[in-house]
Amino acid sequence: MTAYIFDSETTGFKEPHLVEAAWLRLGDVAGLPVTEEFLMRYKPGKPIELGALATSHILDEELVDCPPHDTFKLPADTEYLIGHNVDYDWGVIGKPDIKRICTRALSSALWPEADTHSQSAMIYLHYRSEARDLLRNAHAALDDVQNCRRLLAKILETLDVRQGLPVASWEELWQHSEEARTPKTIAFGKHKGMAIADLPSDYKAWLLRQPDLDPYLLKALQSR
C-alpha cells in the first residue's frame, strides 16, 4: 500500500487551477520514511486571484514556461492521499479514485480543545520552539507537505498512546480519518450543536432530501 502526502497551490477558491504541486512518498506508516519527493510549478488557464497571490506569492508571469496545469498526474501507485483539508487538493487534481486521509479532521478529533486546527496552528501546538522557522515558508507546497508529515507523526503518536498499540497500516489510519470526518453533531440550522443521533426524525428526513448533501453528514444520518 502506497501513501503520498500532497499539497497544492492554486489560482484561488473559484474553480481553482493548479499553480504548484508537491508530494512526499512515504515508505511505511511506521516512522514515515520519505522515499521520494516531488515539486513542480504549472501554468494555469486563468489569472491567479489576489487572495491566492497574497498567500503563495507565486506570480502569473513566473509560470509562463511551466507545463499546463491539467498535465499534472499523481504517481500511478497512489493508494492513499494525505493532506490537511485533503479534499480541496484532491478536487483541484480531478478527484482521482483514491482513499483520502485528512490530518485536519484527525487533529480536530484528537485535540478538540484547540481554538483552531489549521496546519500552522497544529505546528505551533506540537513544535512550539521550532514553529517560526518551520512555518517561514508556509503555503509553499513542499514546505507544507513536510510540515504535514511532522503533524502526521504527532497524530500517529497520539493514536498509539490512546489505543495502546501502534497504527499498523495506512488502511487503519484511513479508518481513523473516516471516523474523524463523520460528524457527531449538526453544524448548522435550527438544531445547530445537537447530536445527530438526537435530531428529530422529520428534520433528518428533510436533510436527506437535500441536494449535494455532504457525504460524511449523509453517512452520519444513515448510521443513526
Side-chain angles (χ1 to χ4, degrees):
M1 295 187 289
T2 309
Y4 288 80
I5 299 178
F6 176 70
D7 185 66
S8 67
E9 301 301 328
T10 72
T11 53
F13 289 112
K14 299 176 183 177
E15 300 179 357
H17 287 191
L18 189 66
V19 167
E20 186 174 74
W23 51 251
L24 301 178
R25 186 181 192 272
L26 301 178
D28 196 351
V29 71
L32 304 177
V34 176
T35 60
E36 189 177 355
E37 68 177 43
F38 171 88
L39 175 66
M40 180 75 73
R41 287 186 172 182
Y42 294 87
K43 180 181 179 181
K46 59 190 297 188
I48 301 172
E49 298 168 21
L50 286 175
L53 284 172
T55 299
S56 70
H57 308 293
I58 298 172
L59 301 175
D60 301 78
E61 50 267 35
E62 297 173 332
L63 306 174
V64 172
D65 296 323
C66 294
H69 69 101
D70 54 2
T71 60
F72 172 81
K73 301 291 182 186
L74 286 170
D77 65 348
T78 308
E79 296 176 82
Y80 298 88
L81 195 69
I82 303 167
H84 212 74
N85 289 328
V86 67
D87 282 356
Y88 175 78
D89 302 286
W90 171 71
V92 169
I93 59 173
K95 300 183 178 180
D97 186 17
I98 48 179
K99 292 181 176 179
R100 299 163 334 263
I101 296 170
C102 183
T103 55
R104 185 184 182 105
L106 286 162
S107 296
S108 297
L110 292 172
W111 302 290
E113 70 285 353
D115 57 274
T116 178
H117 295 91
S118 69
Q119 182 165 288
S120 293
M122 291 295 98
I123 293 298
Y124 267 104
L125 178 65
H126 299 294
Y127 298 94
R128 189 176 184 90
S129 64
E130 308 162 66
R132 280 186 292 192
D133 287 333
L134 293 175
L135 296 170
R136 197 171 301 279
N137 293 314
H139 300 297
L142 187 59
D143 288 79
D144 280 353
V145 292
Q146 290 167 341
N147 281 329
C148 189
R149 178 180 173 274
R150 292 181 177 99
L151 174 56
L152 184 59
K154 294 299 182 180
I155 288 169
L156 288 167
E157 286 176 16
T158 303
L159 287 171
D160 292 355
V161 170
R162 294 191 183 185
Q163 66 186 14
L165 70 165
V167 173
S169 66
W170 296 120
E171 180 69 13
E172 183 183 342
L173 183 60
W174 173 74
Q175 290 170 355
H176 282 294
S177 174
E178 290 291 285
E179 175 64 21
R181 296 178 77 177
T182 303
K184 308 297 188 297
T185 61
I186 194 74
F188 56 84
K190 63 181 180 180
H191 298 296
K192 183 177 179 179
M194 181 180 288
I196 289 174
D198 297 333
L199 288 174
S201 58
D202 60 338
Y203 188 68
K204 285 185 182 180
W206 176 81
L207 281 173
L208 289 168
R209 293 195 299 270
Q210 301 312 300
D212 302 319
L213 189 67
D214 177 83
Y216 290 95
L217 177 56
L218 175 62
K219 178 181 176 181
L221 290 166
Q222 292 175 333
S223 65
R224 291 171 171 82

